[in-house]
């Protein structure tokens, strides 16, 4: 014979203990799922933030290539972004090359006459805003035709390129030198506090060009 004694208090303790264990298990599962969601969200957001930073850098003109690993939606989006950056950068380079060809004298590398009016307008606006002076000078080479006639046009081109090199060396970065055509050049000297400054620069130009 086996005598079984049931105690209501003991049964209630067992029930409370089981409930507590179930509570711990549920809390643990909730904590783990929350941590997993946080880690997954962080991983996804980190990729999106990296993509956003790449877009911002590319908008500033920087070359951007993001790591493209995996086969999920974010990886495919990143690969598409890299392809878009490459295509736009190629188009930008072509546009810059075309603009350089359209605005630059092919022989001397100076700005050509097509750029004279737009650039002069921009420098005049800068002078107005800064309350400074702008000097415009016209330069023509004396005795250039006999060089072409006696030594040939190839030697004349050498002279023009050397004159352009000396002009670039003489003027400051914010000044502009144009080849108007033939042996004619236009000099735009900006950011002047006094007209005497431009006269000193032009005297230096004459000395530089007269040098052998």
């Amino acid at each position: 014979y086996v005598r079984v004694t049931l105690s209501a208090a003991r049964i209630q303790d067992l029930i409370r203990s089981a409930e507590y264990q179930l509570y711990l298990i549920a809390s643990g599962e909730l904590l783990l799922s929350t941590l997993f969601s946080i880690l997954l969200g962080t991983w996804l957001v980190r990729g999106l933030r990296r993509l956003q930073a790449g877009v911002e850098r590319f908008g500033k003109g920087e070359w951007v290539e993001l790591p493209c690993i995996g086969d999920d939606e974010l990886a495919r989006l990143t690969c598409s972004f890299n392809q878009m950056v490459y295509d736009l950068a190629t188009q930008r380079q072509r546009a810059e090359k075309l603009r350089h060809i359209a605005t630059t004298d092919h022989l001397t590398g100076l700005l050509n006459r097509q750029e004279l009016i737009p650039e002069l307008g921009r420098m005049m606006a800068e002078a107005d805003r800064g309350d400074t002076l702008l000097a415009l000078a016209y330069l023509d080479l004396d005795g250039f035709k006999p060089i072409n006639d006696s030594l040939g046009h190839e030697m004349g081109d050498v002279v023009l390129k050397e004159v352009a090199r000396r002009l670039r060396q003489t003027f400051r970065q914010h000044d502009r030198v144009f080849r108007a055509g033939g042996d004619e050049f236009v000099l735009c000297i900006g950011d002047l506090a006094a007209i005497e400054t431009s006269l000193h620069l032009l005297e230096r130009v004459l000395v530089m060009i007269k040098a052998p």
Side-chain angles (χ1 to χ4, degrees):
Y1 296 96
V2 178
R3 178 177 292 179
V4 177
T5 303
L6 294 178
S7 169
R10 178 60 179 159
I11 292 175
Q12 290 178 356
D13 290 340
L14 291 174
I15 292 174
R16 278 195 296 267
S17 177
E19 289 177 346
Y20 181 69
Q21 291 178 10
L22 290 173
Y23 172 75
L24 290 179
I25 292 172
S27 299
E29 290 179 350
L30 179 61
L31 180 61
L32 288 176
S33 63
T34 303
L35 288 175
F36 177 75
S37 299
I38 292 174
L39 291 175
L40 180 62
T42 302
W43 179 78
L44 290 174
V45 170
R46 183 179 61 181
L48 291 174
R49 285 179 177 172
R50 185 169 58 236
L51 191 60
Q52 179 187 4
V55 172
E56 292 175 352
R57 287 172 53 199
F58 181 72
K60 297 177 181 177
E62 299 181 28
W63 171 262
V64 181
E65 186 173 2
L66 300 177
C68 181
I69 303 172
D71 194 33
D72 55 7
E73 291 293 333
L74 185 60
R76 287 194 288 270
L77 182 62
T78 303
C79 293
S80 299
F81 171 77
N82 288 338
Q83 184 62 43
M84 180 194 70
V85 168
Y86 175 78
D87 293 341
L88 290 177
T90 302
Q91 293 178 11
R92 181 184 294 174
Q93 289 175 353
R94 289 174 182 169
E96 289 177 353
K97 186 175 181 180
L98 289 174
R99 185 185 183 282
H100 179 77
I101 293 174
T103 61
T104 305
D105 176 62
H106 70 280
L107 177 65
T108 62
L110 299 175
L111 294 172
N112 60 24
R113 74 173 95 189
Q114 280 77 18
E115 274 295 282
L116 175 58
I117 299 302
E119 196 68 18
L120 181 59
R122 185 190 63 79
M123 295 183 71
M124 290 174 65
E126 285 185 356
D128 286 338
R129 286 194 300 269
D131 196 22
T132 57
L133 298 177
L134 172 66
L136 183 66
Y138 172 79
L139 185 146
D140 175 58
L141 299 180
D142 293 337
F144 180 73
K145 188 174 182 299
I147 295 177
N148 278 336
D149 294 341
S150 60
L151 301 176
H153 288 280
E154 289 185 0
M155 187 56 64
D157 290 346
V158 171
V159 172
L160 291 174
K161 287 190 283 189
E162 175 62 19
V163 169
R165 187 189 68 81
R166 296 183 185 188
L167 289 174
R168 277 194 295 265
Q169 284 185 340
T170 304
F171 286 96
R172 302 160 299 178
Q173 187 175 4
H174 56 270
D175 298 327
R176 293 291 181 267
V177 181
F178 303 84
R179 185 189 177 199
D183 61 340
E184 301 169 349
F185 300 85
V186 176
L187 318 174
C188 293
I189 311 170
D191 196 24
L192 296 171
I195 195 65
E196 288 77 17
T197 307
S198 66
L199 296 177
H200 294 322
L201 276 172
L202 294 175
E203 289 173 359
R204 220 164 76 199
V205 166
L206 294 177
V207 172
M208 286 275 292
I209 292 180
K210 287 179 181 178

